[in-house]
Amino acid sequence: MKITVTDQAGEVHELEGLEGWRVMEVIRDWGLNIKAECGGACSCATCHVYVDTDWLDAVGAPSDEEEDMLDSVGDVKSNSRLSCQILCSDALDGLKLTLAPSAAKD
């Protein structure tokens, strides 16, 4: 499956994801600028992304736990999600995301 990610500098990357992997793992393993400190445990917000509005329904709404984590960052928007909580699947082939400034390693 393909994931299109726009990084914090505005550069667009087309990544290949594997079914069942967390989107955060794909972004991290391709070497993009994402902290991903908790490794997918939904205990931080360092994998914060903005989901393209065309993909919001397919991705689904965040859980209450995820919303609590998103409340800890200052750049949250209505389309914010934690990429560790989005699982790669055929239904999300072509997913478009933008890395939030708060997710940057530097």
Side-chain angles (χ1 to χ4, degrees), residues 33-84:
N33 189 13
I34 190 169
K35 286 182 203 162
E37 290 176 343
C38 77
C42 197
S43 62
C44 71
T46 59
C47 66
H48 178 202
V49 297
Y50 304 120
V51 176
D52 184 276
T53 54
D54 291 340
W55 285 93
L56 287 174
D57 287 340
V59 169
S63 67
D64 290 341
E65 181 182 17
E66 182 180 351
E67 284 187 350
D68 288 346
M69 287 293 103
L70 286 166
D71 286 342
S72 71
V73 296
D75 56 354
V76 71
K77 298 179 181 179
S78 61
N79 61 334
S80 288
R81 289 294 308 268
L82 298 181
S83 58
C84 71

Side-chain angles (χ1 to χ4, degrees), residues 6-23:
T6 304
D7 65 22
Q8 294 91 342
E11 188 175 335
V12 178
H13 308 265
E14 188 171 286
L15 312 180
E16 186 71 37
L18 296 173
E19 178 129 6
W21 280 45
R22 298 174 187 279
V23 170

Side-chain angles (χ1 to χ4, degrees), residues 1-2 17-20 55 87-95:
M1 71 162 287
K2 299 279 187 209
L18 296 173
E19 178 129 6
W55 285 93
L87 295 180
C88 295
S89 68
D90 287 340
L92 296 181
D93 187 26
L95 178 64

